[in-house]
């Protein structure tokens, strides 16, 4: 009797497992997956395809693609400017872009100028704002390594602004007139690349978080509330040197978005670390799979134990 029960329990658990697998397979096929990787915006080694072309991005100026290690936007030389821009716009409602950068050079006290992350209506238009055009329309997250004026904070620092296409960047004062958020972050001359996560939710916020080194905690750098960016905005990375210089390297880029239905239940708090979308279906399946394996294991163990007990009892009689 007990053996029959154990077999039935194991069979039931296996049925649940197969059902869960079918559900997750449906989600994996795009029927009900919340998180979508935006593969068109992925940049990773070796950066180019078999035809030595960079898919979905353009690069120019002094930028050099090293297929073994990095995209160097500018070398540690004076008066250089480089850029990488996507050829397709990001989604209008929600996106998260996570990227790695490495900034540094020979300069001990004087170095610069810095680099920028942009999501703007315009693309591939070089200029004085860390390698991007002035009077841009959209988001700029600027990684500034040289102070042009006196401040009550130190450099390097990271600041955010949203350009309206009509207002100039206040370069003489390091963006004082444009700054909507900032944090001090010493991302220069570190051993490993620095990770940055920028999350946008239309009409709600832009949030920027930084992990300076792999074992460091993520820093909630700043949040710009009630942010709305232009529709059809492109993703860009730029860098600039002047009389002083640095290497400005882009190491990797990845991006994701959410289904429109998932956004309705999406709650974000900077305190929870890097902004994360709801769990991908595969992650939920893994938890369910482990739990069901435990159920099957308990049932099988009980059945084996019962058989052994029955055999021992038979020997005694």
């Amino acid at each position: 009797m007990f053996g029959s029960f154990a077999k039935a329990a194991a069979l039931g658990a296996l049925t649940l497992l197969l059902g869960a697998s079918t559900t997750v397979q449906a989600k994996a096929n795009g029927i009900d997956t919340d998180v979508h990787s935006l593969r068109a915006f992925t940049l990773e080694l070796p950066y180019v395809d078999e035809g030595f072309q960079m898919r979905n991005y353009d690069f120019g100026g002094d930028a050099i693609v090293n297929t073994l290690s990095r995209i160097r936007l500018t070398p540690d030389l004076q008066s250089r400017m480089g850029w990488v821009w996507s050829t397709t716009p990001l989604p209008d409602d929600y996106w998260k872009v996570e990227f790695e950068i490495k900034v540094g050079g020979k300069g001990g006290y004087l170095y610069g100028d810095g680099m920028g992350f942009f999501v703007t209506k315009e693309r591939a238009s070089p200029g004085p704002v860390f390698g991007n055009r002035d009077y841009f329309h959209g988001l700029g997250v600027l990684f500034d390594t040289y102070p042009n004026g006196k401040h009550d904070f130190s450099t390097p620092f990271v600041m955010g602004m949203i350009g309206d296409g009509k207002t100039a960047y206040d370069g003489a004062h390091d963006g004082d007139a444009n700054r909507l958020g900032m944090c001090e972050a010493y991302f220069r001359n570190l051993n490993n690349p620095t990770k940055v996560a920028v999350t946008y939710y239309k009409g709600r916020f832009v949030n920027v978080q930084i992990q300076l080194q792999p074992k460091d905690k993520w820093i909630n750098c700043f949040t710009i509330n009630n942010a709305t960016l232009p529709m059809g905005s492109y993703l860009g990375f730029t860098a600039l040197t002047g009389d002083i210089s640095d290497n400005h390297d882009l190491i990797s880029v990845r991006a994701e978005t959410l289904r429109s239905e998932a956004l309705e239940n999406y709650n974000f708090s900077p305190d929870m670390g890097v902004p994360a979308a709801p769990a991908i279906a595969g992650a939920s399946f893994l938890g369910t799979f482990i739990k069901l394996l435990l159920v099957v294991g308990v049932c099988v163990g009980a059945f084996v134990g019962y058989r052994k007990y029955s055999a021992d009892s038979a020997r005694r009689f």
Side-chain angles (χ1 to χ4, degrees):
M1 178 179 176
F2 186 82
S4 299
F5 170 77
K7 290 179 181 178
L11 182 60
L14 182 59
T15 302
L16 287 173
L17 177 60
L18 291 173
S21 176
T22 302
T23 301
V24 172
Q25 183 63 42
K27 291 184 178 183
N29 289 335
I31 296 173
D32 194 28
T33 302
D34 287 340
V35 179
H36 292 279
S37 175
L38 297 171
R39 297 186 183 278
F41 298 91
T42 298
L43 265 181
E44 56 189 12
L45 290 170
Y47 307 116
V48 295
D49 59 21
E50 60 277 5
F52 298 97
Q53 299 295 317
M54 184 181 287
R55 293 182 180 178
N56 306 311
Y57 282 91
D58 289 331
F59 69 97
D62 295 300
I64 297 175
V65 178
N66 183 327
T67 58
L68 299 178
S69 59
R70 62 182 176 258
I71 300 173
R72 176 148 289 173
L73 298 175
T74 71
D76 189 3
L77 297 171
Q78 295 178 337
S79 303
R80 301 302 173 97
M81 178 190 302
W83 49 265
V84 172
W85 281 92
S86 70
T87 56
T88 56
L90 281 164
D92 294 324
D93 293 332
Y94 172 93
W95 47 258
K96 182 173 79 171
V97 178
E98 189 172 307
F99 57 96
E100 292 179 293
I101 59 173
K102 205 168 190 302
V103 178
K106 301 184 296 293
Y109 297 99
L110 294 175
Y111 44 81
D113 284 313
M115 62 185 299
F117 163 96
F118 294 95
V119 179
T120 62
K121 191 71 175 175
E122 313 83 15
R123 63 174 300 277
S125 183
V129 186
F130 298 93
N132 190 29
R133 58 171 286 173
D134 204 353
Y135 301 96
F136 61 84
H137 191 190
L139 173 67
V141 178
L142 310 178
F143 299 80
D144 197 334
T145 55
Y146 181 77
N148 292 314
K150 293 183 178 181
H151 306 287
D152 57 359
F153 54 84
S154 61
T155 54
F157 68 94
V158 183
M159 66 155 278
M161 63 175 286
I162 296 179
D164 59 6
K166 303 175 183 178
T167 305
Y169 169 66
D170 182 18
H173 304 95
D174 302 305
D176 283 351
N178 317 100
R179 192 179 306 122
L180 298 177
M182 68 152 292
C183 69
E184 298 176 13
Y186 201 89
F187 52 81
R188 185 179 181 272
N189 269 354
L190 300 178
N191 291 328
N192 297 293
T194 293
K195 286 186 177 181
V196 184
V198 183
T199 305
Y200 169 66
Y201 189 172
K202 182 179 179 180
R204 297 276 295 278
F205 64 82
V206 170
N207 176 263
V208 176
Q209 302 206 10
I210 300 175
Q211 186 186 42
L212 293 174
Q213 292 291 267
K215 294 184 179 180
D216 293 348
K217 292 183 178 179
W218 283 85
I219 301 168
N220 181 42
C221 185
F222 62 84
T223 300
I224 302 173
N225 292 312
N226 304 315
T228 298
L229 302 180
M231 296 181 66
S233 291
Y234 296 87
L235 172 63
F237 300 88
T238 67
L240 178 73
T241 68
D243 293 334
I244 53 178
S245 62
D246 250 342
N247 296 311
H248 297 95
D249 297 339
L250 178 63
I251 309 300
S252 68
V253 183
R254 68 181 184 87
E256 64 184 35
T257 188
L258 290 178
R259 291 186 305 117
S260 298
E261 295 86 346
L263 285 176
E264 298 175 3
N265 300 317
Y266 179 55
N267 295 314
F268 166 73
S269 170
D271 297 331
M272 67 186 184
V274 180
I280 298 176
S284 300
F285 170 67
L286 181 61
T288 302
F289 180 79
I290 291 172
K291 290 176 183 178
L292 290 174
L293 280 182
L294 289 174
V295 171
V296 173
V298 169
C299 293
V300 172
F303 177 70
V304 172
Y306 176 76
R307 291 292 297 272
K308 188 176 185 303
Y309 172 79
S310 298
D312 291 343
S313 298
R315 291 193 196 101
R316 285 199 295 270
F317 293 102

